[in-house]
């Protein structure tokens, strides 16, 4: 199942990426969605499909994973539009039927409390935007 994961920090949109389940989310470069932020564990959590249902599972992360304000303990079903918290970041999931990879562009997402960045994918910018990096630029 294809899933679009959007990332926000402090309510501000930072970027999104389309991934194929099963997908780990974490700081490691060996996961489906890498987010280089100190509040995110190497393999923080996992999204996977079972019998047509999408599930979220925390992977014994240091800061935990929250869904609907509750810590995730074991696999929990998720639906389109559900938001969950990984470290200090808010993520939103939405299953995708079809994705045109040629219309996606790479952007950089920079954490609020660090200059480390995570590579994300999002649709091309709308006309009138500069198409530069999203997030906070290191000073």
């Amino acid at each position: 199942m294809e899933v679009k994961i959007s990332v926000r920090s402090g309510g501000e949109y930072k970027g999104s990426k389309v991934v194929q389940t099963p997908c780990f989310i974490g700081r490691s470069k060996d996961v489906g969605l890498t987010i280089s932020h100190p509040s995110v564990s190497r393999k923080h959590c996992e999204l996977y499909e079972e019998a047509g249902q999408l599930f979220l599972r925390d992977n014994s992360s240091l800061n935990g994973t929250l869904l609907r304000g509750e810590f995730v303990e074991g696999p929990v079903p998720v639906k389109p539009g559900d938001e969950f918290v990984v470290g200090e970041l808010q993520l939103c999931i939405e299953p995708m039927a079809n994705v045109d990879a040629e219309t996606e562009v790479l952007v950089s997402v920079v954490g609020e409390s660090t200059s480390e960045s995570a590579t994300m994918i999002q649709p091309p910018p709308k006309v009138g935007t500069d198409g530069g990096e999203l997030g906070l630029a290191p000073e």
Side-chain angles (χ1 to χ4, degrees), residues 58-76:
D58 184 72
N59 196 41
S60 301
S61 64
L62 180 63
N63 293 317
T65 303
L66 284 87
L67 176 67
R68 300 179 201 108
E70 301 286 330
F71 280 101
V72 172
E73 297 178 13
V76 294

Side-chain angles (χ1 to χ4, degrees), residues 32-47:
L33 176 58
T34 299
I35 303 176
S36 297
H37 192 278
S39 66
V40 178
S41 297
R42 286 181 189 92
K43 278 190 167 180
H44 199 101
C45 61
E46 180 184 21
L47 284 171

Side-chain angles (χ1 to χ4, degrees), residues 97-112:
N98 295 306
V99 177
D100 182 0
E102 293 181 2
T103 64
E104 297 175 339
V105 294
L106 288 175
V107 296
S108 178
V109 177
V110 181
E112 295 286 330

Side-chain angles (χ1 to χ4, degrees), residues 11-101:
E12 182 180 334
Y13 177 78
K14 299 295 183 180
S16 62
K17 181 177 181 181
V18 175
V19 297
Q20 183 69 39
T21 59
C23 172
F24 276 99
I25 299 169
R27 273 194 345 256
S28 173
K29 292 183 181 180
D30 298 325
V31 297
L33 176 58
T34 299
I35 303 176
S36 297
H37 192 278
S39 66
V40 178
S41 297
R42 286 181 189 92
K43 278 190 167 180
H44 199 101
C45 61
E46 180 184 21
L47 284 171
Y48 67 96
E49 176 188 5
E50 188 173 292
Q53 171 67 54
L54 190 61
F55 288 89
L56 174 66
R57 172 177 38 215
D58 184 72
N59 196 41
S60 301
S61 64
L62 180 63
N63 293 317
T65 303
L66 284 87
L67 176 67
R68 300 179 201 108
E70 301 286 330
F71 280 101
V72 172
E73 297 178 13
V76 294
V78 291
K79 60 186 184 305
D82 272 346
E83 293 186 8
F84 60 103
V85 176
V86 172
E88 297 175 11
L89 305 171
Q90 301 83 40
L91 286 75
C92 183
I93 53 178
E94 188 171 335
M96 303 289 290
N98 295 306
V99 177
D100 182 0

